[in-house]
């Protein structure tokens, strides 16, 4: 199948079947586990992941409040993202992709959706506390590094602090 854009493969049936939707309260545990699996993709050991578990937890009462968006394909959750805050500045609180789907455009789809939704809601800037391994993705997507933020899970660890504009 040919593409009409140089350097890109044409979107096949798998891409067409992806959809974004609002997260549901009953998915909180599954989304939290996906976040841990996604974090584990970077080779962190069990002790590190256990230290991050609470910070990566999404509770049922938070799913709607954190404006959770889920990417799915054929009923399978591929990833999710949260848009947090009340504006005009907010935060891309979480963006995680199932390890089996990393590299397939799910992160890009979620990121672009969150930026568009932020713009629709009147946000003028989003901050992102990124995992160091994810920083290149965000920079490629147009975010800019504005500093560092202390990790909420690992004392003494600093995370890249980025900004993005809807």
């Amino acid at each position: 199948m040919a593409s009409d854009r140089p350097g890109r493969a044409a979107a096949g049936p798998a891409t067409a079947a992806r959809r974004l939707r609002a997260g549901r309260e009953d998915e909180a545990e599954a989304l939290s586990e996906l976040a841990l699996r996604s974090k584990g993709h970077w080779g962190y050991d069990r002790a590190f992941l256990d230290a991050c578990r609470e910070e990566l937890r999404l509770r049922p009462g938070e799913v709607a409040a954190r404006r959770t968006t889920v990417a799915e394909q054929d009923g399978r959750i591929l990833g999710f993202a949260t848009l947090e805050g009340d504006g005009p500045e907010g935060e891309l609180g979480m963006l995680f992709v199932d390890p089996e789907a990393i590299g397939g455009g799910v992160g890009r789809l979620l990121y672009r959706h969150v930026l568009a939704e932020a713009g629709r809601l009147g946000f003028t800037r989003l901050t992102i506390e990124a995992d160091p391994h994810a920083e290149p993705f965000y920079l490629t997507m147009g975010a800019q590094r504005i500093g560092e933020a202390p990790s909420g899970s690992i004392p003494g660890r600093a995370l890249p602090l980025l900004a993005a504009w809807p």
Side-chain angles (χ1 to χ4, degrees):
M1 186 184 254
S3 172
D4 60 346
R5 295 184 0 187
R8 295 196 173 220
T15 303
R18 285 189 200 145
R19 73 178 187 114
L20 297 177
R21 62 168 174 78
R24 298 187 314 259
E25 302 294 324
D26 66 336
E27 295 175 316
E29 185 176 336
L31 297 176
S32 298
E33 290 302 316
L34 185 150
L36 279 170
R37 285 194 313 277
S38 182
K39 181 71 103 175
H41 170 78
W42 302 112
Y44 294 119
D45 64 24
R46 178 57 48 201
F48 182 93
L49 293 174
D50 286 345
C52 295
R53 183 175 297 277
E54 191 59 33
E55 189 175 9
L56 298 180
R57 178 166 302 180
L58 188 61
R59 290 164 183 78
E62 298 173 341
V63 174
R66 293 174 79 175
R67 296 183 195 95
T68 304
T69 298
V70 170
E72 70 174 15
Q73 180 177 338
D74 300 325
R76 180 176 155 248
I77 296 174
L78 302 176
F80 74 98
T82 64
L83 171 59
E84 303 177 26
D86 295 319
E89 295 194 9
E91 180 180 358
L92 173 62
M94 302 176 91
L95 192 159
F96 291 100
V97 176
D98 190 283
E100 293 180 11
I102 288 176
V106 175
R108 182 172 38 257
L109 180 68
L110 286 164
Y111 181 81
R112 287 180 177 156
H113 172 79
V114 168
L115 283 184
E117 185 67 6
R120 188 185 73 75
L121 294 172
F123 287 83
T124 58
R125 183 175 95 148
L126 297 180
T127 56
I128 307 162
E129 291 181 15
D131 183 282
H133 295 288
E135 182 179 19
F137 164 78
Y138 291 116
L139 295 175
T140 298
M141 296 301 296
Q144 294 180 4
R145 187 174 184 142
I146 58 172
E148 291 186 337
S151 167
S153 301
I154 310 294
R157 182 174 192 241
L159 301 174
L161 181 63
L162 308 170
W165 295 266

